Amino acid sequence: MNRKKFLKKGIVGMGAIVAIPSVMSSCSSDDNNDNNPNTCALSPTETAGPFPIKTPADLVRENIVGNKAGVPLLIKFIIQNTNSNCDALTGVLVDIWQCDAKGNYSEYSGQLDGNFTSEHFLRGRQTTDANGNASFISIYPGWYPGRTPHLHVEVKRSSGASLLITQVSFPEDVSKAVYGTSEYKGDADTNNTNDGIVGGANIADSVTGNTKEGYTLTKTIKVAG
């Protein structure tokens, strides 16, 4: 999704979101092997976590914000096929789920701030286009005890068969800046170094922007399609 399209779609239905990304300043992620365009290796497989999406087929949508406030985040995934020299993988399903600015997930009870079993915020599904792209309008995720800031992603065949479940982490300097804003609860208690699940092993390829105008995250995910 280009910036003009993001602005057009993001203005409608963003709930209490605090800003809309516009001119992006540079703030890149750390380097890792999965970011190397010359490497055609599977992305890391990670746990779905304790709060996987329950009704993905009912959540086909690009704007996953719901009524949640936070720093805007445009998420851009590129899905590649390791069985075909990492060519773009077209027509596969990409499911995403994440916590809100306070560290709560929808669809579950026992959350930090209550019971969200009847809500479906910050979850969604898209189908990759001819270039293997799928994008989501979201907010920067918050954190909860014991975990570094992250996104959950599952790539599935159109039949629903799972190809990969993974997680994507964030550059720590970006998280620190975001968590200093009013919607969040201060610095995370866990970072990429001491997170026992994803950490820096599957960090975003790039996260550009600022807390006022929002951020854009890009990530290439490689699966055996």
Side-chain angles (χ1 to χ4, degrees):
M1 181 197 295
N2 61 34
R3 177 176 169 273
K4 181 181 290 186
K5 186 177 179 183
F6 175 54
L7 291 173
K8 182 177 179 181
K9 288 197 172 188
I11 290 170
V12 179
M14 294 295 273
I17 198 163
V18 299
I20 302 296
S22 54
V23 178
M24 297 297 179
S25 63
S26 177
C27 189
S28 297
S29 70
D30 301 327
D31 291 334
N32 63 73
N33 290 336
D34 193 51
N35 295 339
N36 186 341
N38 298 317
T39 300
C40 188
L42 290 171
S43 293
T45 298
E46 310 286 2
T47 177
F51 308 111
I53 233 174
K54 291 184 176 180
T55 55
D58 297 330
L59 298 175
V60 177
R61 57 189 183 183
E62 191 170 39
N63 187 331
I64 65 172
V65 175
N67 63 350
K68 291 300 176 177
V71 172
L73 180 68
L74 173 60
I75 300 165
K76 302 170 73 173
F77 293 126
I78 303 138
I79 311 301
Q80 296 179 344
N81 185 0
T82 61
N83 290 338
S84 182
N85 298 314
C86 279
D87 289 338
L89 193 54
T90 302
V92 293
L93 307 174
V94 180
D95 292 342
I96 184 174
W97 61 102
Q98 65 171 85
C99 67
D100 66 12
K102 305 301 184 184
N104 303 294
Y105 285 87
S106 62
E107 299 189 342
Y108 290 84
S109 61
Q111 299 293 289
L112 297 173
D113 296 318
N115 186 334
F116 298 98
T117 53
S118 63
E119 299 185 49
H120 305 281
F121 56 80
L122 299 172
R123 299 176 181 274
R125 166 177 285 184
Q126 287 287 279
T127 301
T128 57
D129 64 15
N131 297 311
N133 297 325
S135 61
F136 298 89
I137 298 168
S138 187
I139 60 171
Y140 201 98
W143 61 275
Y144 51 95
R147 289 303 318 274
T148 196
H150 61 280
L151 305 171
H152 295 267
V153 187
E154 183 170 13
V155 181
K156 298 181 178 182
R157 299 186 190 280
S158 58
S159 65
S162 182
L163 292 170
L164 179 75
I165 298 175
T166 192
Q167 298 182 28
V168 180
S169 57
F170 290 78
E172 291 174 8
D173 59 336
V174 178
S175 294
K176 186 174 182 64
V178 170
Y179 295 160
T181 63
S182 61
E183 297 297 337
Y184 297 83
K185 56 183 184 180
D187 292 344
D189 70 355
T190 305
N191 57 33
N192 293 338
T193 302
N194 55 23
D195 183 270
I197 298 177
V198 57
N202 202 26
I203 199 167
D205 297 341
S206 69
V207 179
T208 58
N210 56 69
T211 57
K212 182 178 179 180
E213 298 166 324
Y215 290 91
T216 297
L217 176 150
T218 59
K219 179 65 179 176
T220 298
I221 297 176
K222 301 169 185 178
V223 304

